[in-house]
């Protein structure tokens, strides 16, 4: 081979490689603040027997009904824009061309028609698939069909893909999740990319590659599925508290740690515990995907989901994930810097379940706030103003069991 043609070949190879890298890295311009929406899984699960459970069965009508409420009850106006269908929406078989098909009985008009309906309401549609041979509930997975499935989703008008990792080899995940990110980008349609990959490899340090998660995904699950209980909720909060320096460093505009859905409005939490979830998800700059039946919401739960102070903290453009400063004797202090100069959100969490409120004495300095002469505090739940407090002045906080105090602290 002549030197010139060898040179040409090499250049082509390099160009091709660069081309590949360009489409592989996820720069879809989405999720500049933590994504917000509704996701069916935690509340509606894989309920497919519509005779037995007509009201809870996963159908086109269920999804449309939730969409209607997202708009009419003010959730869309508050920022909850994605409506995401999780596992169990599919037929058990692909069609003769290998394409995915929605269950013909429960989704008789198919996903494209549903997407059109969702879009007509000003919402965006999310969908679920799995990187492996089958989804966690046994429906067809994307293994060997990644590119075709990405194209199908884009043709249907899907705006979000949650890609789970059941029934796959964890060693294939890095290449596979990156490839799917590339295929999604190549469709030309902006599709928010939610990855479960980190949750599957979290126990294997060699496979836990946060720079790669951040480069590839807009949001990623790190840990266990949330269930409808305080124990489950607190185990998740404690996971992030214990791993914060590893995890908060990778959160920011475009890419977020995902502690799973909001269970506010479900069956398992007290009102105080619902405050803790909403407060902590705001604190941790977590994606806010509600999973509740929007046709029937207690007023206190609705007020929390729409609480303007909490949403402003969660959506703060600085995009800092809050960190746990300390945890002593079933009490914790968390802090999240906000974009307003010097301002922070602070939380005092009482995780004790003894049946009486506890008293804490803490100064702005002990709450970890940056040095300033004085602070005012706005209780995020009641919107009441407190202060001014001198930097070293001890303040009394009286907090119920499994509850929290949370405030925006403003220096002056
Ligand atoms: C789990 C996932 C859940 C839900 C479920 C569906 O692996 O973490 O969020 O999607 O699969 O089968």
């Amino acid at each position: 081979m002549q030197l010139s043609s060898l040179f040409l070949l090499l250049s082509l190879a390099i160009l091709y490689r660069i081309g590949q890298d360009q489409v592989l890295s996820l720069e879809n311009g989405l999720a500049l603040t933590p994504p917000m929406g509704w996701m069916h899984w935690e509340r509606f699960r894989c309920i497919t027997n519509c005779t037995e459970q007509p009201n809870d069965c996963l159908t086109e009508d269920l999804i449309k009904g939730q969409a209607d409420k997202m708009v009419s009850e003010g959730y869309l106006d508050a920022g909850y824009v994605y409506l995401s269908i999780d596992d169990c929406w599919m037929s058990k078989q692909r069609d003769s061309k290998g394409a995915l098909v929605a269950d013909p009985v429960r989704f008789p008009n198919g996903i494209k028609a549903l997407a059109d309906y969702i879009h007509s309401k000003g919402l965006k549609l999310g969908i679920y698939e799995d990187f492996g041979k089958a989804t966690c509930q046994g429906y067809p997975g994307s293994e060997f069909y990644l590119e075709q499935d990405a194209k199908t989703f884009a043709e249907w008008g899907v705006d979000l893909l949650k890609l789970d990792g059941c029934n796959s080899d964890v060693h294939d995940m890095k290449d596979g999740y990156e490839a799917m990110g590339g295929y999604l980008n190549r469709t030309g349609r902006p599709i928010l990319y939610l990855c479960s990959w980190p949750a599957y490899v979290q126990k294997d340090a060699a496979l836990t590659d946060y720079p790669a998660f951040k480069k590839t995904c807009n949001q990623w699950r790190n840990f266990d599925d949330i269930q409808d209980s305080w124990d489950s909720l607190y185990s998740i909060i404690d996971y992030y508290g214990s791993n914060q320096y590893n995890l908060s460093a990778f959160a920011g505009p475009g890419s977020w740690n995902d502690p799973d859905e909001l269970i506010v409005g479900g069956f398992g939490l007290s009102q105080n515990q619902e405050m803790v979830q909403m407060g902590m998800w705001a604190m941790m700059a977590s994606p806010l995907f509600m999973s509740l039946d929007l046709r029937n919401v207690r007023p206190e739960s609705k007020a929390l989901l729409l609480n303007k102070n909490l949403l402003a903290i969660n959506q703060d453009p600085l995009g800092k994930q809050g960190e746990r400063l300390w945890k002593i004797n079933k009490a914790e202090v968390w802090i999240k810097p906000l974009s307003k100069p010097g301002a922070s959100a602070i939380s005092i969490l009482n995780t004790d379940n003894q049946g009486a409120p506890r008293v804490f004495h803490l100064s702005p300095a002990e709450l970890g706030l940056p040095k300033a002469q004085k602070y005012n505090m706005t209780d995020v739940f009641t919107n009441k103003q407190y202060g001014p407090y001198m930097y070293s002045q001890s303040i009394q906080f009286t907090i119920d069991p499994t509850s929290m105090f949370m405030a925006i602290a403003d220096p002056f």
Side-chain angles (χ1 to χ4, degrees):
M1 188 185 293
Q2 281 191 349
L3 208 57
S4 59
S5 32
L6 183 65
F7 180 71
L8 183 70
L9 257 182
L10 272 176
S11 322
L12 276 176
I14 290 167
L15 264 181
Y16 176 66
R17 181 74 221 153
I18 292 171
Q20 267 199 336
D21 284 343
Q22 268 169 355
V23 282
L24 280 178
S25 55
L26 190 85
E27 277 169 10
N28 56 15
L30 299 172
L32 296 181
T33 60
M36 293 172 66
W38 179 95
M39 189 174 275
H40 104 242
W41 184 254
E42 200 284 329
R43 171 62 181 80
F44 291 98
R45 304 288 166 159
C46 196
I47 299 177
T48 53
N49 184 336
C50 300
T51 319
E52 207 171 70
Q53 289 181 274
N55 204 42
D56 288 338
C57 189
L58 176 61
T59 62
E60 183 176 292
D61 286 345
L62 176 86
I63 300 299
K64 283 182 169 174
Q66 301 295 316
D68 295 347
K69 292 291 182 190
M70 277 178 85
V71 179
S72 64
E73 298 293 316
Y75 297 99
L76 172 62
D77 284 345
Y80 296 93
V81 68
Y82 289 100
L83 196 163
S84 204
I85 311 175
D86 212 270
D87 205 349
C88 306
W89 60 270
M90 288 177 225
S91 225
K92 289 272 174 164
Q93 304 293 335
R94 291 174 178 268
D95 72 11
S96 57
K97 295 196 182 104
L100 291 169
V101 235
D103 181 281
V105 177
R106 291 179 292 115
F107 292 88
N109 298 298
I111 302 297
K112 176 144 186 23
L114 186 56
D116 290 346
Y117 182 84
I118 300 294
H119 294 151
S120 76
K121 295 260 155 190
L123 297 161
K124 294 178 188 293
L125 181 70
I127 213 155
Y128 168 101
E129 240 299 7
D130 188 285
F131 167 65
K133 289 191 181 58
T135 73
C136 299
Q137 304 299 320
Y139 292 83
S142 276
E143 194 166 294
F144 309 121
Y145 292 93
L146 291 175
E147 185 171 13
Q148 181 173 2
D149 291 350
K151 285 184 179 154
T152 303
F153 296 144
E155 279 159 20
W156 286 347
V158 163
D159 307 291
L160 171 164
L161 172 66
K162 170 174 168 182
L163 192 64
D164 210 339
C166 275
N167 306 305
S168 69
D169 181 341
V170 286
H171 299 94
D172 296 340
M173 285 188 169
K174 184 169 188 299
D175 286 347
Y177 273 85
E178 286 178 354
M180 190 54 156
Y183 293 134
L184 291 175
N185 276 353
R186 262 176 258 169
T187 66
R189 184 174 178 83
I191 299 180
L192 194 78
Y193 189 28
L194 278 51
C195 304
S196 301
W197 161 31
Y200 286 86
V201 298
Q202 52 138 346
K203 293 205 173 96
D204 187 335
L207 296 177
T208 299
D209 183 349
Y210 269 90
F213 305 153
K214 185 179 170 73
K215 191 178 130 203
T216 311
C217 313
N218 293 118
Q219 126 182 11
W220 52 80
R221 290 281 307 282
N222 313 72
F223 186 57
D224 295 349
D225 287 6
I226 197 160
Q227 310 294 343
D228 200 3
S229 73
W230 167 256
D231 285 351
S232 165
L233 171 60
Y234 183 66
S235 71
I236 293 173
I237 294 171
D238 198 42
Y239 175 84
Y240 289 93
S242 311
N243 289 285
Q244 61 193 331
Y245 297 116
N246 293 330
L247 303 181
S248 55
F250 298 101
S255 45
W256 310 94
N257 290 297
D258 175 9
D260 210 359
E261 293 138 286
L262 291 168
I263 56 171
V264 172
F267 301 100
L269 298 185
S270 69
Q271 199 183 327
N272 280 335
Q273 293 167 350
E274 291 197 338
M275 284 162 57
V276 171
Q277 186 180 30
M278 204 54 202
M280 291 310 298
W281 264 232
M283 201 66 188
M284 298 192 294
S286 306
L288 299 178
F289 281 85
M290 314 177 277
S291 195
L292 76 169
D293 186 350
L294 292 173
R295 296 167 299 189
N296 182 17
V297 185
R298 291 183 294 274
E300 312 79 58
S301 305
K302 181 176 177 187
L304 267 177
L305 292 166
L306 299 179
N307 178 305
K308 288 201 165 65
N309 292 323
L310 289 171
L311 295 180
I313 293 169
N314 175 269
Q315 296 289 300
D316 187 82
L318 196 60
K320 283 272 186 202
Q321 180 176 331
E323 293 182 349
R324 185 161 74 188
L325 268 189
W326 51 258
K327 172 189 174 186
I328 304 167
N329 189 19
K330 299 191 176 164
E332 313 185 358
V333 164
W334 289 68
I335 187 159
K336 177 188 198 299
L338 299 173
S339 51
K340 185 174 171 199
S344 308
I346 54 116
S347 298
I348 309 168
L349 199 54
N350 173 19
T351 59
D352 200 353
N353 55 14
Q354 289 191 36
R358 284 168 84 190
V359 172
F360 300 88
H361 295 280
L362 293 163
S363 66
E366 288 165 325
L367 288 168
L369 289 164
K371 182 115 185 74
Q373 215 188 8
K374 291 177 192 169
Y375 272 95
N376 276 332
M377 296 207 190
T378 309
D379 180 321
V380 295
F381 299 112
T382 62
N383 212 31
K384 279 196 193 134
Q385 309 280 325
Y386 295 98
Y389 300 111
M390 302 301 289
Y391 191 58
S392 304
Q393 183 181 339
S394 189
I395 311 166
Q396 176 177 330
F397 299 94
T398 307
I399 307 178
D400 290 350
T402 59
S403 188
M404 82 195 302
F405 172 81
M406 184 163 169
I408 297 170
D410 270 310
F412 65 98

